[in-house]
Amino acid sequence: MNRLAGCIDRGLDVSRDALEQVGQYAQELQAVDATLRPSDVVTTEERREQFLAWQEAWQSSLDPVQQHFAKIMSSFEPGVFVGSEVADFPTDNVDLERGFKGPKGHERRIHGHRHAGVRIVRQGPTLMLALETHVHHAGPFTGDDLRPYRLAGVPQSQQEAVERGKIMRKARSRKKRPALLADLEKRYLDAP
């Protein structure tokens, strides 16, 4: 056991400088992460200025890791601070992604896959609203809760997305593809 402890100590001595540098990077990344989180104390404009200050400092650095951080930040910077604090909209891309976190997790748990699938894309306009109401509504829904929605219909964009999905499923099938191509060709020739 003493030999093993000696080996661990020698290994840590060799990599101590690198580990300290990684710890410094982690602290800097946590500071950048703090600029991405909405706050009641700091405005969006102040957070944007802090974000850009970190990005500029890393771009001018000679450290290749910090230059890489700056490159990544510049690639996602255009969408990070796009919202408004006044309106009831997502304040930035990160807030928008937080809104999709629940439905994506719901889909993953239902199917047991890492990827959420295309259901959110195809049925998103109605699925997102239904899942969001469950977050804000305590307990099961009653008939009185659902009565205002009895005449609600599926939006046209969702219907079109579902139809496109059906066509793409036929296009992926080796058996159904010839019939699909013949049908599409017939529709094209019959079009005015």
Side-chain angles (χ1 to χ4, degrees):
M1 199 58 129
N2 289 335
R3 268 187 15 200
L4 181 60
C7 290
I8 292 172
D9 290 340
R10 284 192 304 275
L12 286 174
D13 288 341
V14 169
S15 61
R16 190 168 314 281
D17 294 337
L19 288 174
E20 288 177 9
Q21 185 64 40
V22 168
Q24 180 65 33
Y25 292 148
Q27 289 177 353
E28 292 173 353
L29 289 174
Q30 288 171 348
V32 171
D33 184 51
T35 66
L36 299 176
R37 300 191 184 281
S39 168
D40 294 336
V41 179
V42 182
T43 66
T44 302
E45 193 56 40
E46 292 170 338
R47 291 187 304 119
R48 171 184 262 149
E49 289 172 10
Q50 292 171 354
F51 181 87
L52 293 174
W54 275 107
Q55 183 182 359
E56 290 172 7
W58 283 344
Q59 279 178 339
S60 62
S61 172
L62 297 176
D63 186 354
V65 174
Q66 290 182 338
Q67 289 178 353
H68 179 68
F69 290 163
K71 183 178 176 184
I72 290 172
M73 289 173 74
S74 66
S75 70
F76 65 79
E77 188 266 328
V80 173
F81 301 101
V82 294
S84 171
E85 293 174 348
V86 178
D88 189 22
F89 292 112
T91 56
D92 51 27
N93 258 2
V94 180
D95 195 24
L96 183 64
E97 289 185 18
R98 267 186 229 111
F100 280 98
K101 185 178 181 182
K104 287 190 333 189
H106 175 76
E107 286 295 311
R108 284 194 210 95
R109 283 188 295 277
I110 285 175
H111 301 296
H113 300 297
R114 275 192 211 167
H115 189 268
V118 296
R119 183 171 172 227
I120 294 174
V121 175
R122 290 188 190 148
Q123 300 175 359
T126 53
L127 181 67
M128 295 294 288
L129 294 174
L131 293 174
E132 186 68 17
T133 56
H134 286 286
V135 170
H136 299 293
H137 189 275
F141 285 95
T142 64
D144 292 334
D145 294 334
L146 299 174
R147 188 166 289 117
Y149 305 102
R150 70 184 181 279
L151 300 177
V154 178
Q156 184 66 28
S157 62
Q158 182 174 336
Q159 291 174 359
E160 292 169 359
V162 169
E163 289 304 314
R164 283 192 304 271
K166 289 178 183 177
I167 291 173
M168 293 308 294
R169 175 166 282 165
K170 288 179 185 176
R172 286 191 303 267
S173 169
R174 289 184 182 179
K175 292 180 181 177
K176 296 180 182 179
R177 189 178 305 140
L180 172 67
L181 292 174
D183 181 49
L184 291 174
E185 185 176 346
K186 182 178 181 286
R187 276 200 245 169
Y188 176 75
L189 294 173
D190 292 344

PDB file of all heavy atoms in Angstrom, residues 48-67:
ATOM      1  N   ARG A  48     -23.936  41.001 -20.959  1.00  0.00           N
ATOM      2  CA  ARG A  48     -23.346  40.961 -22.296  1.00  0.00           C
ATOM      3  C   ARG A  48     -21.959  41.596 -22.297  1.00  0.00           C
ATOM      4  O   ARG A  48     -21.020  41.066 -22.905  1.00  0.00           O
ATOM      5  CB  ARG A  48     -24.244  41.685 -23.298  1.00  0.00           C
ATOM      6  CG  ARG A  48     -23.568  41.855 -24.645  1.00  0.00           C
ATOM      7  CD  ARG A  48     -24.392  42.646 -25.600  1.00  0.00           C
ATOM      8  NE  ARG A  48     -25.067  41.676 -26.429  1.00  0.00           N
ATOM      9  CZ  ARG A  48     -26.254  41.839 -26.975  1.00  0.00           C
ATOM     10  NH1 ARG A  48     -26.909  42.930 -26.773  1.00  0.00           N
ATOM     11  NH2 ARG A  48     -26.776  40.913 -27.716  1.00  0.00           N
ATOM     12  N   GLU A  49     -21.804  42.722 -21.607  1.00  0.00           N
ATOM     13  CA  GLU A  49     -20.502  43.386 -21.538  1.00  0.00           C
ATOM     14  C   GLU A  49     -19.468  42.513 -20.840  1.00  0.00           C
ATOM     15  O   GLU A  49     -18.318  42.431 -21.282  1.00  0.00           O
ATOM     16  CB  GLU A  49     -20.639  44.730 -20.815  1.00  0.00           C
ATOM     17  CG  GLU A  49     -21.380  45.777 -21.626  1.00  0.00           C
ATOM     18  CD  GLU A  49     -21.668  47.038 -20.836  1.00  0.00           C
ATOM     19  OE1 GLU A  49     -21.124  47.184 -19.715  1.00  0.00           O
ATOM     20  OE2 GLU A  49     -22.433  47.879 -21.332  1.00  0.00           O
ATOM     21  N   GLN A  50     -19.876  41.829 -19.768  1.00  0.00           N
ATOM     22  CA  GLN A  50     -18.958  40.917 -19.076  1.00  0.00           C
ATOM     23  C   GLN A  50     -18.554  39.770 -19.994  1.00  0.00           C
ATOM     24  O   GLN A  50     -17.385  39.377 -20.055  1.00  0.00           O
ATOM     25  CB  GLN A  50     -19.608  40.360 -17.809  1.00  0.00           C
ATOM     26  CG  GLN A  50     -19.825  41.377 -16.724  1.00  0.00           C
ATOM     27  CD  GLN A  50     -20.671  40.825 -15.585  1.00  0.00           C
ATOM     28  OE1 GLN A  50     -21.189  39.718 -15.653  1.00  0.00           O
ATOM     29  NE2 GLN A  50     -20.809  41.623 -14.525  1.00  0.00           N
ATOM     30  N   PHE A  51     -19.541  39.233 -20.723  1.00  0.00           N
ATOM     31  CA  PHE A  51     -19.279  38.134 -21.655  1.00  0.00           C
ATOM     32  C   PHE A  51     -18.271  38.567 -22.723  1.00  0.00           C
ATOM     33  O   PHE A  51     -17.299  37.864 -23.003  1.00  0.00           O
ATOM     34  CB  PHE A  51     -20.607  37.712 -22.295  1.00  0.00           C
ATOM     35  CG  PHE A  51     -20.505  36.571 -23.265  1.00  0.00           C
ATOM     36  CD1 PHE A  51     -20.582  35.267 -22.829  1.00  0.00           C
ATOM     37  CD2 PHE A  51     -20.346  36.806 -24.628  1.00  0.00           C
ATOM     38  CE1 PHE A  51     -20.497  34.209 -23.714  1.00  0.00           C
ATOM     39  CE2 PHE A  51     -20.263  35.764 -25.528  1.00  0.00           C
ATOM     40  CZ  PHE A  51     -20.341  34.459 -25.065  1.00  0.00           C
ATOM     41  N   LEU A  52     -18.493  39.741 -23.312  1.00  0.00           N
ATOM     42  CA  LEU A  52     -17.603  40.240 -24.358  1.00  0.00           C
ATOM     43  C   LEU A  52     -16.216  40.568 -23.809  1.00  0.00           C
ATOM     44  O   LEU A  52     -15.206  40.375 -24.508  1.00  0.00           O
ATOM     45  CB  LEU A  52     -18.214  41.459 -25.043  1.00  0.00           C
ATOM     46  CG  LEU A  52     -19.477  41.181 -25.860  1.00  0.00           C
ATOM     47  CD1 LEU A  52     -20.079  42.474 -26.381  1.00  0.00           C
ATOM     48  CD2 LEU A  52     -19.192  40.213 -26.998  1.00  0.00           C
ATOM     49  N   ALA A  53     -16.135  41.020 -22.550  1.00  0.00           N
ATOM     50  CA  ALA A  53     -14.832  41.297 -21.935  1.00  0.00           C
ATOM     51  C   ALA A  53     -14.027  40.005 -21.791  1.00  0.00           C
ATOM     52  O   ALA A  53     -12.819  39.980 -22.092  1.00  0.00           O
ATOM     53  CB  ALA A  53     -15.014  41.968 -20.580  1.00  0.00           C
ATOM     54  N   TRP A  54     -14.690  38.938 -21.342  1.00  0.00           N
ATOM     55  CA  TRP A  54     -13.998  37.646 -21.251  1.00  0.00           C
ATOM     56  C   TRP A  54     -13.539  37.190 -22.644  1.00  0.00           C
ATOM     57  O   TRP A  54     -12.421  36.719 -22.821  1.00  0.00           O
ATOM     58  CB  TRP A  54     -14.917  36.584 -20.643  1.00  0.00           C
ATOM     59  CG  TRP A  54     -14.929  36.573 -19.157  1.00  0.00           C
ATOM     60  CD1 TRP A  54     -15.931  37.009 -18.339  1.00  0.00           C
ATOM     61  CD2 TRP A  54     -13.894  36.111 -18.292  1.00  0.00           C
ATOM     62  NE1 TRP A  54     -15.573  36.843 -17.037  1.00  0.00           N
ATOM     63  CE2 TRP A  54     -14.340  36.287 -16.971  1.00  0.00           C
ATOM     64  CE3 TRP A  54     -12.636  35.564 -18.509  1.00  0.00           C
ATOM     65  CZ2 TRP A  54     -13.566  35.938 -15.864  1.00  0.00           C
ATOM     66  CZ3 TRP A  54     -11.873  35.214 -17.410  1.00  0.00           C
ATOM     67  CH2 TRP A  54     -12.330  35.403 -16.104  1.00  0.00           C
ATOM     68  N   GLN A  55     -14.415  37.330 -23.622  1.00  0.00           N
ATOM     69  CA  GLN A  55     -14.088  36.882 -24.977  1.00  0.00           C
ATOM     70  C   GLN A  55     -12.887  37.650 -25.530  1.00  0.00           C
ATOM     71  O   GLN A  55     -11.970  37.051 -26.090  1.00  0.00           O
ATOM     72  CB  GLN A  55     -15.302  37.066 -25.885  1.00  0.00           C
ATOM     73  CG  GLN A  55     -15.081  36.573 -27.292  1.00  0.00           C
ATOM     74  CD  GLN A  55     -16.294  36.813 -28.169  1.00  0.00           C
ATOM     75  OE1 GLN A  55     -17.314  37.340 -27.712  1.00  0.00           O
ATOM     76  NE2 GLN A  55     -16.200  36.444 -29.414  1.00  0.00           N
ATOM     77  N   GLU A  56     -12.866  38.966 -25.366  1.00  0.00           N
ATOM     78  CA  GLU A  56     -11.753  39.775 -25.866  1.00  0.00           C
ATOM     79  C   GLU A  56     -10.452  39.444 -25.135  1.00  0.00           C
ATOM     80  O   GLU A  56      -9.381  39.375 -25.750  1.00  0.00           O
ATOM     81  CB  GLU A  56     -12.081  41.256 -25.726  1.00  0.00           C
ATOM     82  CG  GLU A  56     -13.160  41.729 -26.681  1.00  0.00           C
ATOM     83  CD  GLU A  56     -13.621  43.149 -26.400  1.00  0.00           C
ATOM     84  OE1 GLU A  56     -12.999  43.822 -25.546  1.00  0.00           O
ATOM     85  OE2 GLU A  56     -14.612  43.569 -27.022  1.00  0.00           O
ATOM     86  N   ALA A  57     -10.541  39.238 -23.825  1.00  0.00           N
ATOM     87  CA  ALA A  57      -9.336  38.896 -23.055  1.00  0.00           C
ATOM     88  C   ALA A  57      -8.756  37.565 -23.530  1.00  0.00           C
ATOM     89  O   ALA A  57      -7.536  37.422 -23.672  1.00  0.00           O
ATOM     90  CB  ALA A  57      -9.663  38.836 -21.563  1.00  0.00           C
ATOM     91  N   TRP A  58      -9.624  36.600 -23.784  1.00  0.00           N
ATOM     92  CA  TRP A  58      -9.142  35.296 -24.234  1.00  0.00           C
ATOM     93  C   TRP A  58      -8.619  35.345 -25.666  1.00  0.00           C
ATOM     94  O   TRP A  58      -7.700  34.631 -26.015  1.00  0.00           O
ATOM     95  CB  TRP A  58     -10.240  34.252 -24.095  1.00  0.00           C
ATOM     96  CG  TRP A  58     -10.427  33.793 -22.672  1.00  0.00           C
ATOM     97  CD1 TRP A  58      -9.571  33.960 -21.628  1.00  0.00           C
ATOM     98  CD2 TRP A  58     -11.549  33.091 -22.155  1.00  0.00           C
ATOM     99  NE1 TRP A  58     -10.092  33.406 -20.497  1.00  0.00           N
ATOM    100  CE2 TRP A  58     -11.314  32.853 -20.786  1.00  0.00           C
ATOM    101  CE3 TRP A  58     -12.731  32.630 -22.696  1.00  0.00           C
ATOM    102  CZ2 TRP A  58     -12.196  32.182 -19.964  1.00  0.00           C
ATOM    103  CZ3 TRP A  58     -13.621  31.961 -21.878  1.00  0.00           C
ATOM    104  CH2 TRP A  58     -13.356  31.737 -20.528  1.00  0.00           C
ATOM    105  N   GLN A  59      -9.211  36.179 -26.520  1.00  0.00           N
ATOM    106  CA  GLN A  59      -8.718  36.293 -27.892  1.00  0.00           C
ATOM    107  C   GLN A  59      -7.315  36.876 -27.923  1.00  0.00           C
ATOM    108  O   GLN A  59      -6.505  36.489 -28.757  1.00  0.00           O
ATOM    109  CB  GLN A  59      -9.656  37.171 -28.725  1.00  0.00           C
ATOM    110  CG  GLN A  59     -10.871  36.445 -29.228  1.00  0.00           C
ATOM    111  CD  GLN A  59     -11.810  37.357 -29.999  1.00  0.00           C
ATOM    112  OE1 GLN A  59     -11.781  38.571 -29.846  1.00  0.00           O
ATOM    113  NE2 GLN A  59     -12.671  36.764 -30.811  1.00  0.00           N
ATOM    114  N   SER A  60      -7.026  37.792 -27.034  1.00  0.00           N
ATOM    115  CA  SER A  60      -5.698  38.421 -27.025  1.00  0.00           C
ATOM    116  C   SER A  60      -4.668  37.607 -26.244  1.00  0.00           C
ATOM    117  O   SER A  60      -3.491  37.961 -26.241  1.00  0.00           O
ATOM    118  CB  SER A  60      -5.798  39.829 -26.437  1.00  0.00           C
ATOM    119  OG  SER A  60      -6.244  39.767 -25.101  1.00  0.00           O
ATOM    120  N   SER A  61      -5.092  36.526 -25.610  1.00  0.00           N
ATOM    121  CA  SER A  61      -4.187  35.691 -24.827  1.00  0.00           C
ATOM    122  C   SER A  61      -3.297  34.858 -25.749  1.00  0.00           C
ATOM    123  O   SER A  61      -3.662  34.527 -26.883  1.00  0.00           O
ATOM    124  CB  SER A  61      -5.002  34.761 -23.930  1.00  0.00           C
ATOM    125  OG  SER A  61      -4.161  33.819 -23.307  1.00  0.00           O
ATOM    126  N   LEU A  62      -2.120  34.497 -25.245  1.00  0.00           N
ATOM    127  CA  LEU A  62      -1.217  33.620 -25.985  1.00  0.00           C
ATOM    128  C   LEU A  62      -1.498  32.144 -25.699  1.00  0.00           C
ATOM    129  O   LEU A  62      -0.975  31.280 -26.395  1.00  0.00           O
ATOM    130  CB  LEU A  62       0.238  33.953 -25.635  1.00  0.00           C
ATOM    131  CG  LEU A  62       0.704  35.361 -26.011  1.00  0.00           C
ATOM    132  CD1 LEU A  62       2.130  35.593 -25.532  1.00  0.00           C
ATOM    133  CD2 LEU A  62       0.599  35.576 -27.506  1.00  0.00           C
ATOM    134  N   ASP A  63      -2.301  31.890 -24.697  1.00  0.00           N
ATOM    135  CA  ASP A  63      -2.643  30.514 -24.306  1.00  0.00           C
ATOM    136  C   ASP A  63      -3.595  29.918 -25.349  1.00  0.00           C
ATOM    137  O   ASP A  63      -4.678  30.455 -25.592  1.00  0.00           O
ATOM    138  CB  ASP A  63      -3.299  30.530 -22.927  1.00  0.00           C
ATOM    139  CG  ASP A  63      -3.552  29.132 -22.379  1.00  0.00           C
ATOM    140  OD1 ASP A  63      -3.318  28.148 -23.103  1.00  0.00           O
ATOM    141  OD2 ASP A  63      -3.985  29.038 -21.212  1.00  0.00           O
ATOM    142  N   PRO A  64      -3.237  28.804 -25.981  1.00  0.00           N
ATOM    143  CA  PRO A  64      -4.110  28.217 -27.014  1.00  0.00           C
ATOM    144  C   PRO A  64      -5.456  27.750 -26.459  1.00  0.00           C
ATOM    145  O   PRO A  64      -6.457  27.776 -27.170  1.00  0.00           O
ATOM    146  CB  PRO A  64      -3.302  27.052 -27.575  1.00  0.00           C
ATOM    147  CG  PRO A  64      -2.203  26.811 -26.617  1.00  0.00           C
ATOM    148  CD  PRO A  64      -1.985  28.056 -25.843  1.00  0.00           C
ATOM    149  N   VAL A  65      -5.504  27.339 -25.203  1.00  0.00           N
ATOM    150  CA  VAL A  65      -6.769  26.903 -24.614  1.00  0.00           C
ATOM    151  C   VAL A  65      -7.713  28.099 -24.487  1.00  0.00           C
ATOM    152  O   VAL A  65      -8.895  28.010 -24.834  1.00  0.00           O
ATOM    153  CB  VAL A  65      -6.532  26.233 -23.242  1.00  0.00           C
ATOM    154  CG1 VAL A  65      -7.845  25.917 -22.554  1.00  0.00           C
ATOM    155  CG2 VAL A  65      -5.704  24.970 -23.407  1.00  0.00           C
ATOM    156  N   GLN A  66      -7.196  29.229 -24.020  1.00  0.00           N
ATOM    157  CA  GLN A  66      -8.035  30.414 -23.896  1.00  0.00           C
ATOM    158  C   GLN A  66      -8.465  30.937 -25.264  1.00  0.00           C
ATOM    159  O   GLN A  66      -9.586  31.419 -25.425  1.00  0.00           O
ATOM    160  CB  GLN A  66      -7.312  31.490 -23.099  1.00  0.00           C
ATOM    161  CG  GLN A  66      -7.178  31.142 -21.632  1.00  0.00           C
ATOM    162  CD  GLN A  66      -6.494  32.223 -20.834  1.00  0.00           C
ATOM    163  OE1 GLN A  66      -5.761  33.052 -21.384  1.00  0.00           O
ATOM    164  NE2 GLN A  66      -6.719  32.218 -19.536  1.00  0.00           N
ATOM    165  N   GLN A  67      -7.602  30.820 -26.262  1.00  0.00           N
ATOM    166  CA  GLN A  67      -7.987  31.220 -27.620  1.00  0.00           C
ATOM    167  C   GLN A  67      -9.105  30.322 -28.134  1.00  0.00           C
ATOM    168  O   GLN A  67     -10.021  30.784 -28.821  1.00  0.00           O
ATOM    169  CB  GLN A  67      -6.777  31.174 -28.549  1.00  0.00           C
ATOM    170  CG  GLN A  67      -5.779  32.273 -28.275  1.00  0.00           C
ATOM    171  CD  GLN A  67      -4.564  32.178 -29.177  1.00  0.00           C
ATOM    172  OE1 GLN A  67      -4.391  31.226 -29.922  1.00  0.00           O
ATOM    173  NE2 GLN A  67      -3.713  33.198 -29.094  1.00  0.00           N
TER     174      GLN A  67
END
